[in-house]
Amino acid sequence: MAVNTTIYYFSGTGNSLKIAEDLSTNMRDSKIVRVAYNTLHITADEDSAKIGFVFPVYFRGLPRMLEGFIKKLKVNSNAYFFAVANFGSSAALSFQQIDGILKEKGAGLNANFSVFMPGNMWFMYYPHPEKDFSERIEEEPGKCKIIAGKINCKSENPLPILEKLEEDKKMYNAFIPSTVSNNFWVNEKCTGCAVCSKVCPAKNVYFIDGRPVWKKNCEQCLACLHWCPVGAIEYKQDSIGRKRYHNPLIHSRKMFVDSLKKK
């Protein structure tokens, strides 16, 4: 039986999962689907009346895995499409990217929404103060309730105006996450628990002699680094001595990809 609303989400540190869950809680007849290596077989959704995409903003745009997923997804052009971006600073190119992909399918992005959340890309910038973390996490459920209400009534809004379009494009075009695997390394704290491998949406981390090794399928979501329970994983020298972040309301087991039921 078809559902009214399907929310596809990409999540590394749990923010997008929390948002997707809170949106779904405030919607009738909805389901959420994580975009990860074990759901990439989904290439069509022509039954959902409403289709949404929830994601973090990476390098001023979409996570590469989500971008590819949307491009391959066959949809009903008459469906209502919405996107919810979460970020530390700006949605940047992400909504325009989704709208462009949908226009190639004869559709378009009907509504876009933004939720400020703690950022986690410490190799780009130092994380926001803890006060910002707590305020953003506390405000998120209320914001999602408002957003869900607008989605329920098929509210529409225009795409935001991009003031730094060329700069944003230049940064995103340089975003090639599959090339960064060699930047990860593990220190002496590693216990071999394999949480890093279990939370990876790209199945990019495997183990040799009880130690994690990174392949060439990285999405640069930093799930491995932030979910490590002992802080054993580092990125270059940038993460040394810095606190880790994952959404405190999401348990690591919810992020274990293989525990998800395949759709």
Side-chain angles (χ1 to χ4, degrees):
M1 182 178 177
V3 297
N4 183 56
T5 304
T6 300
I7 301 171
Y8 296 99
Y9 73 95
F10 180 91
S11 189
T13 49
N15 288 338
S16 292
L17 169 55
K18 182 63 167 58
I19 290 170
E21 288 182 336
D22 288 344
L23 290 173
S24 184
T25 296
N26 290 285
M27 293 177 181
R28 299 175 297 275
D29 188 22
S30 65
K31 70 175 182 180
I32 67 174
V33 179
R34 185 180 183 184
V35 177
Y37 68 82
N38 64 342
T39 54
L40 294 181
H41 65 280
I42 300 173
T43 56
D45 184 349
E46 298 179 272
D47 296 324
S48 298
K50 300 173 186 173
I51 296 177
F53 305 103
V54 176
F55 54 90
V57 176
Y58 290 168
F59 283 78
R60 315 298 290 172
L62 294 172
R64 289 294 188 184
M65 180 180 284
L66 181 64
E67 180 188 37
F69 179 86
I70 300 172
K71 285 181 177 180
K72 293 179 181 178
L73 191 67
K74 187 177 181 181
V75 298
N76 182 343
S77 61
N78 294 318
Y80 170 85
F81 295 93
F82 63 93
V84 182
N86 68 89
F87 44 77
S89 58
S90 168
L93 298 170
S94 59
F95 297 138
Q96 281 78 1
Q97 287 176 313
I98 293 176
D99 184 61
I101 295 170
L102 292 174
K103 276 185 165 51
E104 293 180 357
K105 304 174 188 290
L109 187 61
N110 299 98
N112 63 87
F113 306 98
S114 297
V115 180
F116 280 96
M117 293 295 282
N120 68 8
M121 287 199 167
W122 296 349
F123 45 84
M124 290 180 64
Y125 53 81
Y126 197 77
H128 295 274
E130 288 188 21
K131 184 174 180 291
D132 287 354
F133 277 31
S134 59
E135 288 179 352
R136 292 179 180 192
I137 290 167
E138 289 172 5
E139 293 170 356
E140 176 268 331
K143 289 182 178 180
C144 284
K145 185 174 182 179
I146 294 172
I147 292 171
K150 293 180 179 180
I151 294 169
N152 283 333
C153 63
K154 293 186 176 181
S155 172
E156 298 194 10
N157 59 8
L159 293 170
I161 297 173
L162 298 180
E163 297 179 355
K164 298 181 179 180
L165 178 60
E166 294 308 315
E167 290 182 26
D168 290 345
K169 284 183 177 180
K170 184 177 180 179
M171 181 176 287
Y172 189 75
N173 288 338
F175 176 44
I176 310 174
S178 61
T179 65
V180 304
S181 292
N182 290 338
N183 294 328
F184 292 96
W185 55 281
V186 63
N187 62 36
E188 71 284 352
K189 297 178 185 177
C190 180
T191 64
C193 70
V195 166
C196 54
S197 178
K198 294 174 182 177
V199 299
C200 179
K203 203 172 185 178
N204 191 54
V205 184
Y206 66 106
F207 273 70
I208 295 179
D209 296 329
R211 308 283 279 186
V213 178
W214 285 261
K215 296 185 282 187
K216 303 295 183 183
N217 304 316
C218 186
E219 286 293 315
Q220 216 160 336
C221 69
L222 301 185
C224 57
L225 184 153
H226 288 293
W227 285 103
C228 176
V230 295
I233 295 173
E234 306 286 2
Y235 185 88
K236 297 182 178 179
Q237 302 296 308
D238 300 346
S239 58
I240 296 176
R242 294 184 176 181
K243 291 183 178 180
R244 280 20 181 183
Y245 169 81
H246 54 75
N247 192 293
L249 302 177
I250 297 295
H251 194 281
S252 61
R253 289 190 184 89
K254 282 187 135 181
M255 300 296 293
F256 290 0
V257 180
D258 283 337
S259 68
L260 300 176
K261 181 179 179 182
K262 292 186 178 182
K263 304 294 180 181

